[in-house]
Structures are given as C-alpha cells and as structure tokens.
Amino acid sequence: NPTEYFSEITEAYYGRNDFFPFTRDDLKSYDQDGHALLEHLWNLSAEPQLFSLSLATGIVSAKQTSHIETDLATVPVVGGSLTASASPSQLLTFRLVLGGPRLNLK
C-alpha cells in the first residue's frame, strides 16, 4: 500500500512486518533505498550527524524544544537556515518562526 510505505518499512526495520519484507534483513536486501531512508530519518548512524534546515519562506528564529514543546534553548539561524547536530539515535524538536508575509486572520 503506497500510502503506508513509511509505516510498513519501519515495522520491518524495528520488528516483524505482516508481509514481505518481514524483517530488517529482508528490507535491506529488497529495498536498499527504503532501508537507507530509515537509517537517515530515524538517525541510526553511529556518529553525530550535522544537518541544515531551510525553507522557501526562510527561518527567522528557532528554539530547540522538548517533545512536549517546552523551550530548551535558542538555536542560531544564519541566512534563514538552521544548522544543528544530532547525537546517534537522538531525535530533535524545534519551534520555528518563519519569514514571509504574515497572515491576517479576522
């Protein structure tokens, strides 16, 4: 099912899927791109990973937050882009203030 691709390959990677590819080894041999995607998105590298985030509107400011959206620290934004480093298996959450026109809701 194409609409559940990510959830199905994640299930194969972390446990046992209910259809092929069933396991991480099946996934790696059958869908190398999907396997690599999960390792990148779930930050499964053994080394810290430096990453940058930029959006078409630009980022004006950013804060690193807890996963329940409590502000932890201000994150530097340079040239409209956020750059940070994640430790192995670390997931990070950010609150972003975007550039571009403001919405005027009435």
Side-chain angles (χ1 to χ4, degrees):
N1 182 343
T3 61
E4 293 193 12
Y5 174 75
F6 182 75
S7 62
E8 295 297 338
I9 64 173
T10 297
E11 187 177 356
Y13 192 94
Y14 281 109
R16 183 164 178 83
N17 202 2
D18 50 348
F19 53 86
F20 190 82
F22 297 105
T23 64
R24 184 180 303 186
D25 289 340
D26 288 348
L27 178 64
K28 189 171 185 176
S29 65
Y30 177 73
D31 184 357
Q32 292 175 1
D33 290 338
H35 185 271
L37 173 71
L38 290 179
E39 288 191 331
H40 179 74
L41 292 177
W42 290 114
N43 191 24
L44 299 173
S45 170
E47 301 295 323
Q49 298 295 305
L50 183 67
F51 63 91
S52 294
L53 174 65
S54 59
L55 303 171
T57 60
I59 300 170
V60 174
S61 65
K63 293 203 181 275
Q64 184 176 352
T65 68
S66 70
H67 298 300
I68 58 171
E69 300 182 18
T70 302
D71 290 344
L72 300 174
T74 299
V75 178
V77 173
V78 177
S81 295
L82 172 153
T83 299
S85 179
S87 298
S89 300
Q90 179 184 24
L91 298 176
L92 299 173
T93 305
F94 298 95
R95 179 186 328 281
L96 307 176
V97 175
L98 306 180
R102 300 232 179 234
L103 295 175
N104 186 6
L105 301 175
K106 295 183 179 184

